[in-house]
Amino acid sequence: GAGGGAALSLLLRLQEEARSEKVVAGFVGFAPWTNLACDTPTYYNNAFAEVGNNHSRSLCYVGDIIEQAVPRNSSTILAKEAKAYVAGAERLLRDPVASPIHASDAQLA
């Protein structure tokens, strides 16, 4: 990835350290990787696929165009990459700082 998930993780960590003080007014990320646990249906539903276009008789590509794997393989590949990202510390896969989808509303406020 380009670092959107890492940037959000950094902001959560800074907010955690500041406790009650507001650190950041907002954040906009373009497709940040926020769920390192890879355990939501989107990891299967958004897998790579070639889709035919009836109007132009050409192929369109949807889903994970980087890995280009079938759903089962895509989930396995991403889970392996996530574990490498956290240096094998599987507990971090659901830690809000490393995996911001698990942050509470208060942490994201």
Side-chain angles (χ1 to χ4, degrees):
L8 183 53
S9 292
L10 172 63
L11 295 176
L12 284 167
R13 179 67 180 178
L14 291 172
Q15 187 63 46
E16 183 179 274
E17 288 180 3
R19 307 218 197 291
S20 61
E21 192 176 319
K22 191 76 166 168
V23 175
V24 177
F27 170 80
V28 176
F30 181 75
W33 191 6
T34 61
N35 182 11
L36 297 180
C38 305
D39 59 358
T40 58
T42 57
Y43 284 88
Y44 185 86
N45 297 336
N46 293 337
F48 177 76
E50 294 179 344
V51 180
N53 183 336
N54 291 333
H55 300 292
S56 66
R57 295 186 181 191
S58 63
L59 290 176
C60 297
Y61 301 98
V62 297
D64 188 348
I65 61 172
I66 295 172
E67 296 294 344
Q68 296 188 12
V70 295
R72 186 174 342 134
N73 294 347
S74 181
S75 295
T76 301
I77 290 167
L78 289 169
K80 184 178 177 182
E81 290 175 1
K83 287 178 187 172
Y85 181 76
V86 296
E90 291 191 31
R91 63 178 171 72
L92 292 177
L93 297 176
R94 288 187 174 75
D95 182 285
V97 173
S99 200
I101 197 169
H102 297 287
S104 68
D105 290 343
Q107 289 172 300
L108 295 171

